[in-house]
Amino acid sequence: MGDGEKLLVANMVSRVGQFQVSEKADKDSETACVPGSKQRFFRASGNFLPGGPKDPGTAVGAAHGELLVMNYDRLVDELDFRDDNLSVIVMNKPDSAVTFIVAARTTEPNILIVGKTDCFKAAEE
C-alpha cells in the first residue's frame, strides 16, 4: 500500500471524509518532466462525512498529522493559505521524493489530495 492509500485509511483522516481515488500512482506520466523522465500521481477527492466536522482546517490538520507520522516535512504552512472556506498544506518526504498537496474547502468536493513523485528516469524506479 502506498502512502496515499495509507493516508486515506488513517484514523484521523477517515474520520473527516469519505474518499474516492481517481489515480493510484501506478502509471508513469510525462506531464511536467523533461523528455526521458517520468513521474507518478496519486489523486483522491472526497466530501466531509455526514454528521462530522465540516471545517477545512480540521480536514487539513488531520492529513497534516498523519503525514507527519509517515515522516513527511511541511513545505507550506496551512496558515499561509487558510481562511474560513479554504485550507491547504504541502508536505514532502525527501527520501522517497514524494510531495502531497492537501486542500480542503467548503464546496464539494470538500477535500482534494494529490501526491506526486519528483521526475525520475524510467530506470530509477
Side-chain angles (χ1 to χ4, degrees):
M1 178 184 304
D3 284 354
E5 292 164 317
K6 288 178 187 175
L7 180 61
L8 295 184
V9 299
N11 187 37
M12 290 172 35
V13 174
S14 64
R15 288 183 179 195
V16 296
Q18 184 173 7
F19 298 90
Q20 183 171 27
V21 176
S22 58
E23 196 169 346
K24 289 186 173 187
D26 56 356
K27 297 177 190 170
D28 292 341
S29 171
E30 298 175 358
T31 307
C33 298
V34 297
S37 295
K38 304 187 182 308
Q39 69 184 148
R40 292 188 176 185
F41 289 90
F42 174 88
R43 298 178 201 274
S45 60
N47 292 315
F48 297 129
L49 291 175
K54 310 266 189 260
D55 175 48
T58 299
V60 166
H64 173 248
E66 295 296 346
L67 287 166
L68 283 174
V69 169
M70 291 190 273
N71 297 316
Y72 280 79
D73 299 322
R74 183 171 41 196
L75 294 180
V76 177
D77 194 319
E78 68 270 20
L79 296 177
D80 293 339
F81 294 103
R82 188 173 187 176
D83 66 25
D84 290 339
N85 298 316
L86 174 70
S87 190
V88 177
I89 194 160
V90 181
M91 308 273 301
N92 176 265
K93 189 181 212 179
D95 63 338
S96 66
V98 173
T99 301
F100 274 94
I101 301 112
V102 180
R105 58 191 180 184
T106 53
T107 57
E108 293 186 1
N110 301 119
I111 307 165
L112 307 167
I113 298 174
V114 176
K116 66 178 200 157
T117 65
D118 288 348
C119 293
F120 59 90
K121 295 199 186 272
E124 292 180 16
E125 288 184 75

